[in-house]
Amino acid sequence: MAVVIEKDTIIGDVLDVAPQAAPLFMAIGMHCLGCPSSRGETVEEACMVHGIDCDPFLAQLNRFLEAYEASELEKK
C-alpha cells in the first residue's frame, strides 16, 4: 500500500519517501522544494502559504502515489 500523506506530513518527509511527488508540488507553485524552510513545513502550511486548498491537493497527491506504486509493482 502506498504511503498516505496527511495535512501534518512534513514536505521533506514526503520527498524522502516519494521523490516522484515533487512535480505535483511544483505544479501548484511550490518551486522551493530544496529550501530548508520549505522541507520543514507541513503540507497544510505550504498549501496555506501558496493559497491552495489542502484537501483536494492531498487527495490528488495520494491518488498519484497509489497509482505510481501500482505501476511500479506491475513492472516487477
Side-chain angles (χ1 to χ4, degrees):
M1 175 184 232
V3 170
V4 176
I5 308 303
E6 298 179 356
K7 288 181 179 183
D8 62 349
T9 304
I10 303 295
I11 291 177
D13 293 342
V14 175
L15 297 175
D16 288 345
V17 298
Q20 67 275 15
L24 289 173
F25 286 97
M26 296 194 67
I28 61 170
M30 297 180 192
H31 301 282
C32 196
L33 295 177
C35 298
S37 61
S38 71
R39 286 188 58 89
E41 290 181 323
T42 66
V43 174
E44 184 175 39
E45 290 168 338
C47 285
M48 184 177 59
V49 167
H50 292 277
I52 303 299
D53 187 347
C54 191
D55 291 325
F57 178 69
L58 278 174
Q60 176 189 22
L61 180 59
N62 284 306
R63 280 192 309 269
F64 171 80
L65 293 175
E66 186 176 325
Y68 181 85
E69 184 177 88
S71 172
E72 290 298 303
L73 288 174
E74 286 180 10
K75 292 178 183 178
K76 294 181 181 182

